[in-house]
Each structure stands twice: as structure tokens, then as C-alpha cells.
């Protein structure tokens, strides 16, 4: 391996010496053949002509020898790229048409795929997100919806299923009047159990989160700011910690700030406060008085199916303990569904994004076909050039490789400009009236998107360059 690398280095960086050595060898070979033919009685001129014919052409022999050199692929590819760029510069109008066509098609696809990747392929910004679930109480005989909230007694029942859930949390979205240094305004305030931070694996940007003690009556006058409200009201200053905010006229101490872009089920809170259940909310009389979202983290190895089975058993046990609910449960068809949180977050927007991506891919196919036709027309105009190169000894494969390189150069230029188009398109997604895109799909051009663009570029080069080359 080392010897091969050293040889490749000599051939690439000591090119002149290698070429001189090759010239010397070929001259020696020609002279030997000339002497051989002259000894057979041929005149010198005829002997030299015969020698050159036997070798098959000096330049063709040189090309065959160069192809055996270490590093020849790199050197030949570099020359192909140089030639391709020269040919592109000779036809700027043609090149601009192709590059702009590809840029628009690739840019549109990259932008849509970036949002699709952010919103569907990595929809939850939480650790071990594959173990996060959401629980719904549903009543199919009363309402067709397969989503519903949960009651407070459900939380305490299900929290006991320690063999199923690693942690379980209640979240009660709502709005409150909040006063800072300005007039009170209505903002999104969530009541959460302290376990919510463990369930989601969320750590504050600054400060701390709620403790169990702060979910007790009289000790709950604390709050965690959303990152947006912290920025708007405090300019991201750490002095926010320890300050006081009045929520519905009651002073609360700021103890922490949520990380940027925190959202759950496509909603963003501006403030979090501890949830403190009352005795009435904990009683059996509050069952099916659903007012809270419920999220949980499954234990490692626990599947959705097993969790669903355990919840069904628990609901049956509750019905045995509170038989007065049996009539309502039977009339309503009540049951609890355990669903993957990531899937639920993007369930409404996934079909739309997939449909948009399919449309964008269709645009890409049409653009690729149009460019392939342009290259095919251009290749017909280059028949004389290609015939001359073939007469000079260039094989069909060598010509195909050069044409493919030209196509790849055009595709790369189109992809680079397409990246600019994609960024411009992504800048507009914040104005799209879909919460699932704005809050979950905060798209960024990451490694997955770059791999998508690279794959599209290579496929385009093969599709619209190789096919015309094979005509």
C-alpha cells in the first residue's frame, strides 16, 4: 500500500520526469523496430513507418501507458474536469440555462426535504425520543375523535405502573394574565407536574426546574419562563432569575428558563407553573373530567403493545373498584390509547409534507428530463468533435466518461446554487400557517440534507449525462 501511494505521488507531482521517461522508452522501442525492419531490407523511411504502425500510434500508446500509472485516475479525472469547465465557459448561455433549471429543482427539493426531515424524521428534540408516548382517553361511541385528554385520577393510577413507565407527567395547557413591567397580557401558561422535565429529558437553559415540594399548596409560587418570553421581557439576561412575575395577580418567582424551541404536541408555552391538584380533582368523582395532556417515558424494552395491554388491565381494575362508572363506560365505549409521541406530533402534517415532497420530486424529474434533452441536442452538434476524438484514438468509454464529467460539473454547479435557493425557501416557512411546521420543523441543512443533495446531484449527472453519451 505504501509503495502504491509513493508511486502515485511521483506520477502526480513529478509529472514532467515521468513523461520524459515515457518518451525515451517509446523512442527506444521505435528505433529497435526500425533497425529490425532495415535489417530485413526495408528503406529507413518505410522501416520507420512500419514501426509506428506496429506500435499503433505514439499518442495512443502513451494514453494506454498512463492509464496503468498509480494515481492515473485522479490525474485523468482532474483533466476531465478542466476540459469540462472550459467547454462550459465556451457556451455560457447553454450553461446558465442548465444550471438555473437544476438550481430551482434541486433547491425546491432540498427545502422540502429539510422540512420533512426536521418535522417527520426527527420530530422530537428530546433524548431517547423513541420511548416517549402520549396517552389519550377516547369515547368512540360519543365522539369520533381518537385523541382526548385525561383526568387527574388517571395520572395517579397510571403513575403506579412503574414496570411500564419510567416516568409519567401531566400537562394542562391554558392562558393566564401575566404582568411584568407592562400592562397584563394573556399568555400561554402550562401547569405541569415536576415529572414533566424528567419525562421529556429537558434541562433548563439557565436556572432550575420544579421540585416535588413545589407542587404542594402554598409552595407553588414559582415559574419557569419560555425562551421567547425571556428574550422579549428580559433580553436574555440572567437577572431574570429571582425576579417576580404576577400571574393572575399573584406574584411568582422566576427560577429557570426553558431551552430554545421547546414545544410539545406542536404547542409552545410562554410560562410553566407547578400543577397542584386539589382533593376534589383527585377523587373518583373527577374521573372522566378530562382536562390534561399526559405524556410518559416507557421503560427500556417496553413496547407500545405491552404498555397498551397494561393500561387496559388498569382501566378494568378501576372499573371493578368504582362500579358506578360501568354504565357510562359501556355507553361511551371508553378506553385509553397509548401512542408514539413523535408520530402524534406530526400526524396531521405528515401527509401534506409527503405530498409536497412528491410534487417537488416530480418537478426534479421534469427538470432532469429537460436538461437531458438539451444535452442530447448539444451532443448532436458536437458530432464532428466527438468523431475527431474517436479517430485520434479515444475509446467509447473515454468519451462517455468525459461527457459524464461535463454533466457532473453542471449538476454540481446547479446543486450549489440550489442550496442558496433552498435557504431562501426555508426562510419563508416561518410564515406558513401550520404550527407543526413552525414549532417542530425548525429546519436546518444538516448532514442528512447534504447527503440528499449529493445523491440527487449524482443521479442527475448519471441520468442526463450518461444517456446522451450513449446515443
Amino acid at each position: 500500500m505504501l509503495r502504491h501511494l509513493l508511486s502515485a505521488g511521483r506520477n502526480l507531482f513529478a509529472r514532467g520526469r515521468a513523461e520524459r521517461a515515457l518518451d525515451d522508452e517509446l523512442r527506444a522501442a521505435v528505433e529497435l523496430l526500425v533497425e529490425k525492419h532495415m535489417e530485413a531490407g526495408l528503406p529507413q523511411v518505410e522501416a520507420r513507418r512500419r514501426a509506428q504502425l506496429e506500435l499503433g500510434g505514439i499518442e495512443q500508446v502513451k494514453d494506454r501507458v498512463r492509464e496503468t500509472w498509480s494515481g492515473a485516475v485522479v490525474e485523468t479525472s482532474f483533466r476531465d474536469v478542466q476540459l469540462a469547465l472550459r467547454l462550459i465557459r465556451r457556451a455560457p448561455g447553454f450553461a446558465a440555462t442548465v444550471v438555473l433549471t437544476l438550481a430551482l429543482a434541486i433547491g425546491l427539493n432540498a427545502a422540502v426535504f429539510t422540512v420533512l426531515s426536521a418535522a417527520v424524521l426527527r420530530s422530537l428534540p428530546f433524548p431517547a425520543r423513541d420511548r416517549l408516548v402520549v396517552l389519550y382517553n377516547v369515547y368512540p361511541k360519543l365522539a369520533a375523535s381518537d385523541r382526548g385528554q385525561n383526568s387527574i385520577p388517571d395520572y395517579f393510577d397510571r403513575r403506579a405502573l412503574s414496570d411500564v413507565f419510567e416516568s409519567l407527567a401531566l400537562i394542562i395547557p391554558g392562558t393566564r394574565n401575566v404582568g411584568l413591567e407592562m400592562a397584563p397580557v394573556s399568555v400561554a401558561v402550562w401547569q405541569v407536574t415536576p415529572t414533566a422535565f424528567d419525562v421529556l429529558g429537558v434541562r433548563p437553559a439557565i436556572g432550575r426546574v420544579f421540585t416535588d415540594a413545589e407542587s404542594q399548596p402554598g409552595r407553588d409560587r414559582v415559574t419557569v419562563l419560555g425562551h421567547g418570553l425571556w428574550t422579549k421581557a428580559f433580553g436574555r439576561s440572567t437577572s431574570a432569575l429571582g425576579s417576580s412575575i404576577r400571574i393572575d395577580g399573584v406574584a411568582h418567582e422566576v427560577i429557570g428558563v426553558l431551552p430554545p424551541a421547546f414545544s410539545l404536541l406542536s404547542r409552545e408555552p410562554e410560562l410553566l407553573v407547578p400543577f397542584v391538584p386539589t382533593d376534589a380533582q383527585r377523587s373518583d368523582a373527577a374521573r372522566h373530567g378530562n382536562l390534561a395532556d399526559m405524556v410518559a417515558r416507557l421503560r427500556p424494552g417496553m413496547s407500545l403493545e405491552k404498555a397498551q395491554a397494561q393500561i387496559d388491565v388498569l382501566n378494568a381494575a378501576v372499573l371493578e373498584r368504582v362500579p358506578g362508572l360501568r354504565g357510562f363506560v359501556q355507553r361511551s365505549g371508553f378506553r385509553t390509547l397509548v401512542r408514539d409521541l413523535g408520530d402524534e406530533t406530526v400526524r396531521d402534517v405528515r401527509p401534506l409534507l409527503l405530498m409536497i415532497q412528491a410534487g417537488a420530486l416530480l418537478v426534479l424529474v421534469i427538470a432532469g428530463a429537460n436538461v437531458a434533452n438539451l444535452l442530447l441536442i448539444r451532443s448532436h452538434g458536437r458530432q464532428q468533435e466527438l468523431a475527431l476524438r474517436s479517430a485520434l484514438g479515444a475509446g467509447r468509454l473515454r468519451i462517455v466518461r468525459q461527457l459524464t464529467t461535463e454533466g457532473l460539473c453542471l449538476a454540481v454547479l446547479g446543486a450549489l446554487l440550489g442550496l442558496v435557493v433552498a435557504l431562501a425557501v426555508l426562510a419563508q416557512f416561518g410564515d406558513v400557517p401550520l404550527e407543526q411546521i413552525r414549532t417542530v420543523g425548525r429546519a436546518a441543512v444538516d448532514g442528512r440534507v447534504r447527503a440528499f443533495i449529493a445523491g440527487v446531484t449524482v443521479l442527475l449527472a448519471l441520468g442526463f449525462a450518461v444517456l446522451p453519451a450513449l446515443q
Side-chain angles (χ1 to χ4, degrees):
M1 173 65 75
L2 180 60
R3 185 172 59 187
H4 181 77
L5 291 175
L6 290 174
S7 177
R10 285 193 300 270
N11 289 330
L12 287 172
F13 301 110
R15 183 73 181 182
R17 185 167 57 187
E19 289 287 347
R20 287 193 296 273
L22 177 57
D23 289 338
D24 292 341
E25 291 177 11
L26 286 175
R27 277 196 297 270
V30 171
E31 294 303 325
L32 286 174
L33 288 173
V34 170
E35 290 179 8
K36 175 183 174 182
H37 290 310
M38 289 179 66
E39 289 174 359
L42 290 176
Q44 184 178 8
V45 175
E46 180 63 21
R48 186 169 297 279
R49 190 182 70 83
R50 289 279 187 92
Q52 291 176 342
L53 287 175
E54 288 180 19
L55 282 175
I58 298 299
E59 292 304 319
Q60 288 88 337
V61 173
K62 284 184 178 181
D63 284 340
R64 288 196 295 270
V65 172
R66 291 187 189 110
E67 289 174 358
T68 65
W69 287 351
S70 299
V73 174
V74 175
E75 195 268 340
T76 302
S77 298
F78 182 71
R79 289 191 313 185
D80 286 345
V81 170
Q82 285 183 313
L83 178 59
L85 293 177
R86 282 200 302 270
L87 292 172
I88 289 173
R89 285 198 299 269
R90 289 180 189 173
F94 168 81
T97 301
V98 170
V99 169
L100 288 175
T101 301
L102 294 178
L104 291 174
I106 294 175
L108 175 62
N109 274 271
V112 175
F113 182 79
T114 301
V115 176
L116 183 68
S117 173
V120 177
L121 302 181
R122 50 179 178 86
S123 59
L124 295 179
F126 307 124
R129 57 182 178 266
D130 58 311
R131 292 196 285 126
L132 292 175
V133 296
V134 59
L135 292 89
Y136 297 130
N137 284 352
V138 296
Y139 306 86
K141 293 183 180 179
L142 299 180
S145 175
D146 60 351
R147 289 175 173 171
Q149 292 184 307
N150 304 263
S151 70
I152 307 307
D154 292 330
Y155 169 69
F156 293 102
D157 290 339
R158 296 165 190 173
R159 194 173 62 171
L161 294 177
S162 58
D163 58 331
V164 178
F165 303 118
E166 189 175 273
S167 51
L168 187 83
L170 274 185
I171 298 172
I172 305 178
T175 58
R176 303 276 188 89
N177 290 321
V178 174
L180 298 166
E181 295 180 355
M182 70 285 287
V185 293
S186 180
V187 302
V189 178
W190 293 5
Q191 300 176 68
V192 301
T193 55
T195 52
F197 303 97
D198 293 329
V199 169
L200 300 175
V202 173
R203 297 293 176 262
I206 60 170
R208 64 177 180 84
V209 295
F210 307 134
T211 64
D212 290 336
E214 288 166 338
S215 63
Q216 302 300 318
R219 304 185 65 180
D220 59 331
R221 306 291 174 82
V222 291
T223 184
V224 174
L225 296 178
H227 202 273
L229 184 60
W230 178 48
T231 300
K232 181 169 58 177
F234 294 96
R236 300 190 183 184
S237 172
T238 56
S239 64
L241 297 179
S243 64
S244 179
I245 288 182
R246 301 189 72 81
I247 303 176
D248 286 342
V250 179
H252 287 66
E253 179 189 356
V254 176
I255 62 171
V257 176
L258 289 172
F262 174 84
S263 68
L264 183 66
L265 292 171
S266 303
R267 298 191 298 264
E268 292 185 17
E270 294 180 271
L271 284 174
L272 299 183
V273 295
F275 171 62
V276 181
T278 64
D279 291 339
Q281 287 176 323
R282 298 177 67 134
S283 69
D284 287 333
R287 291 187 182 278
H288 303 290
N290 302 323
L291 51 79
D293 295 325
M294 188 177 294
V295 293
R297 182 175 291 274
L298 298 176
R299 288 203 169 276
M302 176 61 62
S303 66
L304 282 174
E305 292 76 14
K306 291 179 181 178
Q308 181 67 67
Q310 291 293 323
I311 287 293
D312 291 341
V313 170
L314 175 64
N315 284 345
V318 169
L319 200 58
E320 291 295 324
R321 186 167 57 82
V322 191
L325 295 174
R326 191 180 300 278
F328 172 75
V329 168
Q330 291 176 345
R331 289 193 306 275
S332 64
F334 162 74
R335 70 173 307 207
T336 302
L337 301 179
V338 182
R339 297 281 177 80
D340 180 89
L341 181 59
D343 289 344
E344 288 301 299
T345 300
V346 298
R347 185 174 74 169
D348 294 335
V349 77
R350 181 191 285 114
L352 173 63
L353 287 177
L354 291 175
M355 182 174 66
I356 294 174
Q357 183 70 77
L361 287 172
L362 180 60
V363 171
L364 182 65
V365 170
I366 294 172
N370 288 336
V371 172
N373 285 331
L374 288 174
L375 288 171
L376 185 58
I377 293 170
R378 185 166 181 257
S379 68
H380 285 309
R382 297 173 60 188
Q383 289 299 318
Q384 186 175 358
E385 172 200 339
L386 299 178
L388 180 59
R389 294 184 62 183
S390 179
L392 292 174
R396 184 177 182 83
L397 183 60
R398 180 71 185 83
I399 294 174
V400 168
R401 187 173 68 183
Q402 178 59 49
L403 293 177
T404 303
T405 303
E406 292 177 28
L408 183 59
C409 288
L410 289 169
V412 168
L413 292 173
L416 293 175
L417 186 56
L419 184 58
V420 177
V421 173
L423 294 174
V425 173
L426 288 173
Q428 305 304 314
F429 267 99
D431 297 327
V432 175
L434 286 173
E435 283 296 320
Q436 294 91 338
I437 290 179
R438 291 207 301 272
T439 59
V440 179
R442 285 183 171 82
V445 179
D446 57 10
R448 182 185 284 117
V449 177
R450 287 191 290 271
F452 172 80
I453 294 174
V456 166
T457 301
V458 171
L459 288 176
L460 284 172
L462 293 176
F464 63 61
V466 174
L467 290 178
L470 295 176
Q471 297 299 315

